[in-house]
Amino acid sequence: MSLADHLRELRYRFIVAAIAIVLASSIAAIWYNQLYLVFMRPYLVAVDMLKASNPNLTASTVISGVGTPIMLALQVCLVAGLIISAPVWLYQLWAFIVPALMANEKKYALGFLGAAIPLFLFGVLVGYLIMPQGISVMLSFTPSSIPITNLLEVNDFLKLQLQLMVIFGLGFLMPVVVVGINMIGLVSSAQLAKARTFVIFGTFVFGAAATPSTDPFSMLALALPMSLLYLAAEMVCRFNDRRKAKAVALEAV
């Protein structure tokens, strides 16, 4: 394919993925109130945790600005649509890579989706579950000697919550990307082994820079699984390289 053909293919895949996300977001809007309660639950859990150790702590949520409620609804529905439509846009990502593969390697499309979809959803779930701990760490610095009311803007909290979920979901896709570029032949398992130390260090830097919250718990919750997933991807790539080498040896005979 020429460069122009690749760009047209990329445009087509992007449009299909965007339509799927918009449609899924529109469907999610029907249950906006229920989704709002689900996304706010980590905050409520964190406040209950803090009240157990600091009875003087008072926390209230507020919405400021005339246009904030509608922006809030758009953010919630968009992230919900991104999660719901994950099988579609992940397939479009794979379908864009497929032309670079040999015909007999296209069978791995199901394997790609079978690994990418659960990993993305699992990452989203981890980002959701660690949020209460992250909130409690940040709010625990509130002085307990005098009564203080923490006013939390709902828009800021949900923005933080949704960003964390998406970042964790995308971060957990790293091993699938590594295996994908290994299948294409851009990187070998030996190269991955040499880069292991730098990659693991990079995951901790990425965890510190990418997580919107400033607590170390969120950073470790992202960096440690990403490091383990990279090691797992390296093992898969080693097996794939051995399989290719064996096939080449048999053809030579």
Side-chain angles (χ1 to χ4, degrees):
M1 296 175 65
S2 64
L3 177 60
D5 291 333
H6 277 294
L7 292 177
R8 280 192 290 267
E9 177 74 8
L10 178 61
R11 181 183 62 184
Y12 170 76
R13 299 299 175 187
F14 178 79
I15 291 174
V16 172
I19 291 175
I21 294 173
V22 170
L23 290 177
S25 300
S26 301
I27 295 173
I30 300 174
W31 295 279
Y32 166 66
N33 289 326
Q34 291 83 350
L35 289 171
Y36 173 79
L37 293 176
V38 170
F39 287 138
M40 284 298 295
R41 186 176 180 276
Y43 165 75
L44 300 176
V45 172
V47 170
D48 290 338
M49 291 169 56
L50 287 170
K51 284 185 177 179
S53 58
N54 185 4
N56 293 328
L57 178 69
T58 302
S60 301
T61 55
V62 296
I63 296 179
S64 61
V66 177
T68 300
I70 188 171
M71 295 302 299
L72 190 66
L74 290 174
Q75 290 178 23
V76 170
C77 294
L78 180 60
V79 173
L82 186 68
I83 297 172
I84 296 171
S85 62
V88 178
W89 57 263
L90 283 172
Y91 173 77
Q92 297 305 315
L93 174 63
W94 173 261
F96 179 69
I97 300 175
V98 161
L101 299 177
M102 300 298 293
N104 61 347
E105 292 179 321
K106 293 182 179 180
K107 62 183 180 180
Y108 292 105
L110 291 178
F112 173 85
L113 293 175
I117 294 172
L119 282 174
F120 175 76
L121 296 179
F122 181 67
V124 170
L125 179 63
V126 172
Y128 178 80
L129 294 178
I130 62 101
M131 193 61 181
Q133 186 65 36
I135 298 171
S136 63
V137 169
M138 290 184 286
L139 293 183
S140 63
F141 290 96
T142 302
S144 58
S145 55
I146 57 175
I148 294 179
T149 300
N150 289 282
L151 296 179
L152 177 68
E153 289 197 14
V154 176
N155 192 45
D156 289 342
F157 165 74
L158 282 182
K159 183 179 179 180
L160 176 68
Q161 170 76 41
L162 300 177
Q163 285 179 349
L164 195 67
M165 291 169 61
V166 173
I167 287 172
F168 268 72
L170 296 178
F172 276 41
L173 287 177
M174 181 189 67
V176 182
V177 175
V178 171
V179 173
I181 61 176
N182 172 258
M183 290 175 59
I184 297 174
L186 294 179
V187 67
S188 65
S189 59
Q191 292 173 319
L192 293 175
K194 290 181 180 179
R196 184 188 306 140
T197 303
F198 300 100
V199 172
I200 292 177
F201 175 76
T203 59
F204 282 86
V205 174
F206 174 77
T211 49
S213 58
T214 57
D215 63 288
F217 185 81
S218 298
M219 179 198 71
L220 293 175
L222 178 59
L224 288 177
M226 284 184 65
S227 300
L228 294 176
L229 289 171
Y230 177 81
L231 296 177
E234 184 183 328
M235 294 177 61
V236 174
C237 293
R238 187 179 299 115
F239 173 80
N240 186 50
D241 287 349
R242 289 177 180 174
R243 178 186 60 81
K244 288 182 177 180
K246 185 177 180 181
V248 171
L250 290 175
E251 290 179 359
V253 174

